[in-house]
Amino acid sequence: MLKKSVLVMLTALLIFAVPVSAQENVIDLDEVVVTASRYEESIMDTPVSIEVIDQEEIEESNAKNLAELLQGAGGVYIKDLSGLTGKKDVIIRGARQKQILYLLDGQPLNSPQDGIIRLEDIPISIIKRIEISKSASSSIYGANAMGGVINIITKDADEESQTEVKFGLGSFNTQNYSLTTNYNFEKSSLLFSYDKLTSDEHRDDPDQKSSLDRNDIFLKYKYDLSKESDVNITYRLNNTESNYPGSDSNDDYGSRDDQDENIKISLNQNLENIDRTFLVYNNEREMYDKTRSTWSLTGYNTTNLDILKRGFTYKETNYHFDNHIINYGFDIIENEVEDNELLTNNKHDNLNKALYIQDKFRLNNNIFVFGARYDDHDKYGSNLSPKFGYIYEITDNWNFNFNYGEAYRAPTFLDLYGFGGNEDLNVEEGKTFDIGFKYSDSICRREITFFKRDFEQLITYNNDTDVMENIDEADIKGIELLTSRNLYDNWNIDFSYTYLEARDDSVDGQSLNMPYNQIALNIKYNNDNYKSVLNNRYVDETNSYGGGKVDSYFISDLKISTSLDENKELAFEINNLFDKDYEVVDGYPMPGRNFMVNLSTKF
């Protein structure tokens, strides 16, 4: 199977090496990212494997939430429990949802209760770009960055003053309305966004009827203290009410009422040789969930959840030294959770304090990156997470890169105090290796990466002792190819291929919900009158619970948009273009062919 994977990648490289005529559109040779090191740097100058979904790609997609945006990225697999209302988990190169850190403008989003976030609750209307770091990043970010980092970067407050209104109507009575407006003043700027999404979804079974009503308010205010300093205040309120479907066999459907409120204040200074940020945030979440269960005496499992997260971050990047960029800082995070599912006590709290430092050193065509982070947690003790990265610049466009990192995932409140909870749990630990090549010029970008992950002390439920224990291990390895190329004057093609071998103790053979092969091929055409985007993805068969398998599938989504005038655009979307019957998770059928019409206007 590995030989077949290599043949696929070599074929793709040959295809995209074909000469083409001069292009109107060019690829940014010096694309800048912030997630790899917590400061701005060229994507070619970081040894980690990182992929960017920019604002143009977001606007071209059919996505209605964060999960749908991520599903076309290389090495990313979305475990989708049935359409807009179903729960969605992300897997990056074999690392599961709880092992991935999610950030919103640098602020951690992972719930301390179960370690995940609800990807379906984040609208795309507030997102400017997404950076996906697929390498272990605990040396910079600490817990939960064991499998990588997904950093959601929101739109700026100081963009051009304008108002944009969007209306969308589609299948399953889906309706999407959004309003985004910017105001610029002499020393300040303001961004306001409101997004509403409702849908009745696609399941015909009377017991599996589902619905969604998501409302999101986002506010960002920026005030310039001086030419070098500014203050940003961000407020977000999300309320999601949903009736979500269960599996066909278990009827484990339910309902959820979830409210999330967040406020963040940051002070940013850009001095002559130092960049400095102070950040403080407060996040409060209330959720009520009622899930059908044949094991419960009442027929339902109910969850009443209150979460309070407070954090303070200081980070500084120092450019004083020749050939060195040194960044350092500290994080303090306090969590409080009140949950009726916590058996030993309904209310718990914890506190984590951390210091980190990293040095990027250039010597001729060589770049070396050394870093480490020390975390001190009041429940499970301390952890040291080191990192080493290396880049060799073969030419101005080609480089060789290597990255090694040690990382960990912290036990959640449910791991410690929930059903089968064990207060003596240790952290999950991982060692990750990436080695590969990157290429970038004005018309093409290519990247090939060979990766390996060794995870130990994985937390899982022990059926023999009826408690959570550090008893599982995972051995993960694979190959990933990414390429993007402008063809002729109006065409662009993005291609990604991932081959993954994942083994753990839960099943013989490939790990559950882990496809061996994934391919994404996105074709774009643009002229003066209209733009069309065809997104295609193939996912190999996967192992399911109980020894079953979920069949492979190939899905295409199409979007055609045209400008009615200078400020108005009409877009027509067809999802699952060929009306395929398929499942991502066994027992959860995905929507058939469905449509969406969107009208947007700016003034």
Side-chain angles (χ1 to χ4, degrees):
M1 189 170 291
L2 183 58
K3 291 181 180 179
K4 292 182 180 179
S5 304
V6 173
L7 286 174
V8 170
M9 289 189 294
L10 290 175
T11 301
L13 284 172
L14 289 172
I15 291 172
F16 289 99
V18 175
V20 297
S21 62
Q23 276 72 35
E24 293 180 355
N25 300 319
V26 297
I27 293 175
D28 186 0
L29 276 172
D30 199 29
E31 185 170 26
V32 172
V33 294
V34 298
T35 305
S37 302
R38 296 178 80 164
Y39 64 82
E40 291 187 352
E41 60 185 335
S42 167
I43 199 169
M44 295 292 288
D45 289 344
T46 173
V48 305
S49 183
I50 191 165
E51 186 171 352
V52 176
I53 303 174
D54 61 26
Q55 191 159 5
E56 182 180 3
E57 292 174 286
I58 294 171
E59 292 174 352
E60 291 171 347
S61 78
N62 294 5
K64 300 295 180 293
N65 55 52
L66 176 60
E68 294 180 350
L69 269 180
L70 295 172
Q71 66 184 358
V76 176
Y77 174 66
I78 304 296
K79 181 183 169 185
D80 193 334
L81 274 68
S82 197
L84 284 177
T85 60
K87 184 174 177 291
K88 292 153 182 48
D89 293 341
V90 171
I91 296 173
I92 298 180
R93 293 180 177 174
R96 298 190 182 274
Q97 175 94 316
K98 294 181 182 180
Q99 298 165 334
I100 300 165
L101 179 65
Y102 299 85
L103 304 172
L104 186 68
D105 293 328
Q107 176 188 331
L109 293 180
N110 298 60
S111 166
Q113 182 234 17
D114 56 12
I116 64 175
I117 71 167
R118 301 299 297 238
L119 299 168
E120 60 272 26
D121 291 352
I122 299 179
I124 67 168
S125 57
I126 66 172
I127 301 175
K128 179 180 180 180
R129 59 192 273 125
I130 300 171
E131 297 182 1
I132 308 167
S133 176
K134 305 169 190 177
S135 306
S137 302
S138 287
S139 64
I140 288 289
Y141 294 104
N144 304 326
M146 183 171 169
V149 178
I150 296 176
N151 190 10
I152 307 150
I153 300 168
T154 60
K155 294 178 178 178
D156 297 321
D158 56 359
E159 293 182 353
E160 179 184 357
S161 293
Q162 69 173 14
T163 298
E164 182 175 16
V165 180
K166 294 184 178 180
F167 308 90
L169 299 173
S171 303
F172 318 121
N173 197 27
T174 300
Q175 302 177 43
N176 191 194
Y177 311 103
S178 68
L179 166 69
T180 304
T181 185
N182 289 80
Y183 295 97
N184 287 301
F185 308 100
E186 183 178 354
K187 286 189 174 183
S188 62
S189 52
L190 177 69
L191 167 71
F192 172 80
S193 174
Y194 173 71
D195 188 286
K196 182 179 180 66
L197 175 65
T198 61
S199 180
D200 290 338
E201 266 297 341
H202 65 284
R203 303 282 286 272
D204 294 326
D205 186 339
D207 289 334
Q208 299 287 3
K209 288 290 186 179
S210 56
S211 63
L212 173 69
D213 187 353
R214 186 191 72 196
N215 294 272
D216 193 274
I217 297 173
F218 182 76
L219 182 70
K220 181 184 281 189
Y221 176 74
K222 179 182 178 183
Y223 183 80
D224 295 323
L225 300 172
S226 66
K227 292 182 179 180
E228 297 84 16
S229 303
D230 62 73
V231 173
N232 282 268
I233 301 173
T234 304
Y235 173 81
R236 179 170 179 252
L237 176 64
N238 178 277
N239 182 262
T240 300
E241 297 179 15
S242 66
N243 293 304
Y244 53 84
S247 67
D248 285 339
S249 58
N250 294 331
D251 287 340
D252 49 348
Y253 53 87
S255 61
R256 176 172 67 102
D257 188 349
D258 201 339
Q259 179 171 293
D260 192 293
E261 186 174 23
N262 189 84
I263 186 167
K264 177 168 69 80
I265 303 172
S266 64
L267 170 63
N268 306 295
Q269 296 180 315
N270 300 108
L271 308 177
E272 183 177 356
N273 290 305
I274 290 179
D275 293 338
R276 184 181 295 132
T277 296
F278 302 84
L279 184 152
V280 61
Y281 60 86
N282 185 87
N283 178 258
E284 298 181 30
R285 180 186 177 198
E286 297 179 3
M287 185 190 75
Y288 175 79
D289 184 280
K290 184 178 180 180
T291 304
R292 179 87 174 102
S293 173
T294 56
W295 299 97
S296 174
L297 294 177
T298 63
Y300 290 90
N301 286 330
T302 59
T303 300
N304 284 290
L305 176 66
D306 290 288
I307 296 176
L308 175 61
K309 292 176 61 179
R310 300 188 187 96
F312 176 75
T313 292
Y314 171 78
K315 62 176 183 177
E316 186 168 297
T317 305
N318 194 314
Y319 304 94
H320 272 107
F321 307 100
D322 291 341
N323 301 322
H324 288 267
I325 300 176
I326 302 174
N327 63 305
Y328 43 84
F330 65 85
D331 296 303
I332 300 173
I333 300 176
E334 180 183 22
N335 298 304
E336 295 180 9
V337 172
E338 186 172 357
D339 181 0
N340 66 298
E341 288 190 294
L342 303 182
L343 303 181
T344 57
N345 184 352
N346 284 348
K347 190 172 183 178
H348 291 273
D349 60 70
N350 60 35
L351 178 67
N352 188 75
K353 294 169 286 186
L355 297 167
Y356 71 90
I357 186 169
Q358 177 177 286
D359 179 21
K360 183 161 77 172
F361 169 57
R362 175 181 284 275
L363 180 63
N364 299 321
N365 291 344
N366 303 276
I367 299 175
F368 302 90
V369 181
F370 304 90
R373 174 174 167 128
Y374 178 80
D375 285 83
D376 182 28
H377 196 281
D378 66 350
K379 301 300 181 187
Y380 54 81
S382 60
N383 286 87
L384 180 66
S385 305
K387 166 191 176 165
F388 170 71
Y390 172 71
I391 299 172
Y392 177 72
E393 296 174 336
I394 302 169
T395 67
D396 290 341
N397 304 105
W398 273 103
N399 73 36
F400 165 81
N401 54 86
F402 169 81
N403 189 72
Y404 168 77
E406 297 183 13
Y408 75 99
R409 178 184 84 83
T412 66
F413 282 99
L414 284 180
D415 292 332
L416 296 167
Y417 313 112
F419 177 78
N422 181 358
E423 297 184 37
D424 295 324
L425 285 172
N426 297 314
V427 300
E428 297 182 351
E429 296 180 346
K431 297 179 180 180
T432 68
F433 305 82
D434 301 328
I435 187 169
F437 295 88
K438 295 179 184 178
Y439 176 85
S440 182
D441 63 25
S442 61
I443 62 170
C444 180
R445 176 172 291 132
R446 301 188 188 105
E447 181 176 343
I448 184 169
T449 306
F450 300 83
F451 58 88
K452 179 174 174 56
R453 305 177 188 263
D454 295 319
F455 292 161
E456 298 178 345
Q457 298 189 163
L458 297 181
I459 299 169
T460 190
Y461 183 77
N462 189 333
N463 291 312
D464 295 329
T465 61
D466 294 328
V467 296
M468 306 294 288
E469 295 183 6
N470 298 97
I471 58 174
D472 205 353
E473 297 180 353
D475 180 17
I476 301 165
K477 56 187 175 183
I479 308 169
E480 182 181 302
L481 170 69
L482 303 175
T483 185
S484 178
R485 184 169 191 130
N486 294 325
L487 301 173
Y488 307 103
D489 293 338
N490 306 102
W491 293 88
N492 178 269
I493 295 181
D494 296 321
F495 174 85
S496 69
Y497 170 73
T498 305
Y499 172 77
L500 176 73
E501 286 186 10
R503 301 288 188 270
D504 60 41
D505 296 336
S506 65
V507 64
D508 293 332
Q510 186 81 340
S511 299
L512 298 176
N513 305 119
M514 302 273 186
Y516 276 109
N517 297 281
Q518 278 184 267
I519 298 174
L521 177 63
N522 303 327
I523 304 170
K524 306 174 187 177
Y525 176 78
N526 185 21
N527 65 20
D528 294 336
N529 299 316
Y530 70 92
K531 177 187 293 186
S532 62
V533 181
L534 180 65
N535 294 326
N536 307 277
R537 61 188 185 277
Y538 168 80
V539 177
D540 212 348
E541 70 174 14
T542 57
N543 289 328
S544 183
Y545 294 96
K549 290 186 179 294
V550 177
D551 292 337
S552 62
Y553 56 87
F554 178 86
I555 300 298
S556 299
D557 300 325
L558 176 66
K559 182 173 185 177
I560 301 174
S561 57
T562 184
S563 297
L564 302 179
D565 61 32
E566 185 178 356
N567 297 312
K568 294 184 180 67
E569 182 180 270
L570 179 67
F572 182 61
E573 303 172 4
I574 308 176
N575 300 299
N576 193 354
L577 179 63
F578 302 109
D579 198 25
K580 296 291 185 68
D581 293 327
Y582 75 105
E583 296 179 349
V584 178
V585 179
D586 191 21
Y588 292 84
M590 294 295 290
R593 184 189 296 121
N594 60 95
F595 307 90
M596 195 82 181
V597 178
N598 299 286
L599 175 66
S600 64
T601 181
K602 298 178 181 179
F603 52 89

